């Protein structure tokens, strides 16, 4: 059922990963009644932010937090140098206000989530998948899951400690990769299309049944789907979001 709300939220935390990547933690008003499914997104706007025609500027951001964390949404935002929304958002401080409308989107988990399901993320594309993983683990999911996560630089590895924690305490097989590695990088080099084929023999679900959730830049998602099809996986089992 549609339960779309417009809410004034307060920035209660900002984690900077770099000059161009931040996680904003937004506090919702008490008893707002806001609820969402992992994978969904909100439209974010800022008080008084309008374009040259006086129209409100609002952009979509996937929710990274878990739905069971009440009254909070966490958004992972990449800044574009002339970004109409991201640039002014990066000037905001803890305590400042913003406006969210939502939730929206059909990129959601098909329940029950199959053992061995593979999550594939590029950059901020981790956000909706993070929400899915967080909810699954909060609900006690015990089966093996895979996360292939490619980042542009080692410093852009979102939620690293939490994901490493899931790889120890839960059966999360984490395969992180970057094309611009340094000597401290302990994971794979390259993009998901470079790393994934190395793991195909380790998967224990028949190819025709293997489920995927992929999210990232359109070119990365397109290349990933092409690779998966060439490897014999089924397109109808690949659920995707891209931006
Ligand atoms: C369903 C959905 C979920 C999304 N979730 C997220 C999210 O979780 N995190 C996130 O950071 N973004 C997300 N986005 C993208 C986001 O909505 C904005 O498009 C993005 O933040 C740029 O907005 P802006 O106003 O800052 O920049 P704009 O003013 O739109 O663009 C500024 C400049 O950057 C360029 N640009 C814009 N987007 C891109 C791009 N993707 N790649 C390369 N160049 C680009 C433009 O061409 C322009 O030159 C999502 C989009 C959708 C549709």
């Amino acid at each position: 059922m549609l339960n779309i709300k417009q809410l004034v939220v307060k920035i209660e935390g900002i984690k900077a990963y770099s000059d161009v990547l931040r996680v904003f933690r937004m506090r919702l008003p008490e008893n707002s009644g806001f609820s969402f499914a992992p994978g969904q997104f909100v439209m974010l706007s800022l008080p008084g932010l309008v374009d040259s025609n006086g129209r409100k500027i609002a952009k979509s951001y996937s929710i990274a937090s878990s739905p069971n964390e009440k009254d909070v949404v966490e958004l992972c935002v990449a800044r574009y140098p002339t970004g109409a929304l991201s640039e002014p958002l990066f000037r905001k401080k803890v305590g400042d206000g913003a406006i969210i409308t939502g939730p929206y989107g059909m990129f959601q988990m098909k329940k029950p989530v199959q053992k061995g399901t593979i999550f594939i993320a590029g950059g901020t594309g981790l956000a909706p998948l993070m929400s899915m993983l967080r909810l699954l683990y909060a609900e006690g999911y015990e089966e093996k899951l895979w996360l292939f996560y490619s980042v542009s630089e080692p410093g852009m590895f979102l939620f690293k400690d939490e994901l490493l924690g899931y790889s120890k305490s839960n059966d999360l097989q984490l395969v992180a990769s970057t094309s611009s590695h340094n000597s401290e990088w302990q994971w794979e080099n390259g993009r998901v299309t470079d790393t994934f084929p190395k793991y195909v023999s380790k998967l224990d679900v028949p190819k025709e049944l293997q489920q995927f959730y992929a999210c990232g830049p359109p070119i990365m998602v397109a290349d990933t789907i092409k690779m998966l099809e060439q490897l014999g996986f089924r397109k109808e089992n690949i659920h995707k979001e891209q931006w």
Side-chain angles (χ1 to χ4, degrees):
M1 204 175 78
L2 280 182
N3 187 18
I4 292 167
K5 295 193 181 293
Q6 183 171 77
L7 301 169
V8 176
V9 299
K10 199 178 205 180
I11 300 174
E12 73 165 23
I14 303 175
K15 179 164 167 102
Y17 283 81
S18 75
D19 287 351
V20 294
L21 182 61
R22 287 186 185 169
V23 174
F24 292 86
R25 201 175 156 78
M26 312 285 197
R27 171 69 50 183
L28 276 50
E30 260 180 55
N31 304 318
S32 66
F34 180 83
S35 65
F36 67 98
Q40 289 194 294
F41 66 92
V42 290
M43 299 297 295
L44 179 71
S45 54
L46 298 173
L49 184 68
V50 292
D51 66 16
S52 54
N53 296 315
R55 281 192 298 256
K56 185 178 83 170
I57 295 170
K59 295 290 167 81
S60 316
Y61 294 98
S62 295
I63 304 170
S65 45
S66 169
N68 66 354
E69 202 185 355
K70 293 289 174 219
D71 301 330
V72 165
V73 294
E74 232 175 23
L75 308 176
C76 308
V77 182
R79 178 173 69 92
Y80 293 96
T82 58
L85 194 290
S86 59
E87 185 75 58
L89 178 64
F90 270 53
R91 290 197 291 270
K92 294 287 174 193
K93 308 240 173 332
V94 169
D96 287 345
I99 301 135
I100 62 165
T101 310
Y104 299 104
M106 301 304 292
F107 182 58
Q108 295 175 31
M109 290 186 286
K110 312 276 174 279
K111 294 248 184 152
V113 171
Q114 184 194 70
K115 175 185 177 181
T117 291
I118 297 172
F119 295 82
I120 298 179
T124 55
L126 179 68
L129 307 182
M130 194 69 198
S131 182
M132 294 176 185
L133 290 170
R134 281 171 158 169
L135 182 64
L136 286 168
Y137 291 135
E139 288 179 340
Y141 191 86
E142 288 181 342
E143 305 288 3
K144 183 192 281 186
L145 295 172
W146 291 84
L147 173 62
F148 290 83
Y149 177 31
S150 72
V151 296
S152 53
E153 295 169 25
M156 308 283 227
F157 193 153
L158 286 162
F159 308 115
K160 180 163 75 177
D161 292 343
E162 187 177 345
L163 288 169
L164 287 173
Y166 293 140
S167 72
K168 293 192 182 96
S169 60
N170 303 80
D171 200 354
L172 178 68
Q173 306 295 309
L174 174 62
V175 184
S177 67
T178 183
S179 298
S180 64
H181 60 282
N182 58 28
S183 54
E184 280 159 38
W185 181 254
Q186 318 156 16
W187 294 278
E188 298 276 357
N189 299 318
R191 305 183 324 145
V192 172
T193 42
D194 303 311
T195 58
F196 183 82
K198 295 199 255 172
Y199 289 83
V200 172
S201 63
K202 297 188 168 69
L203 307 178
D204 31 31
V205 176
K207 279 189 178 175
E208 64 278 12
L209 297 177
Q210 181 68 65
Q211 295 285 321
F212 296 88
Y213 292 88
C215 185
I219 184 84
M220 173 241 157
V221 173
D223 288 350
T224 299
I225 292 175
K226 197 167 146 199
M227 169 200 68
L228 293 175
E229 285 191 287
Q230 282 168 354
L231 289 169
F233 297 98
R234 292 211 175 137
K235 197 173 183 175
E236 62 268 28
N237 293 337
I238 308 169
H239 316 287
K240 67 177 168 81
E241 180 84 283
Q242 57 191 22
W243 56 78

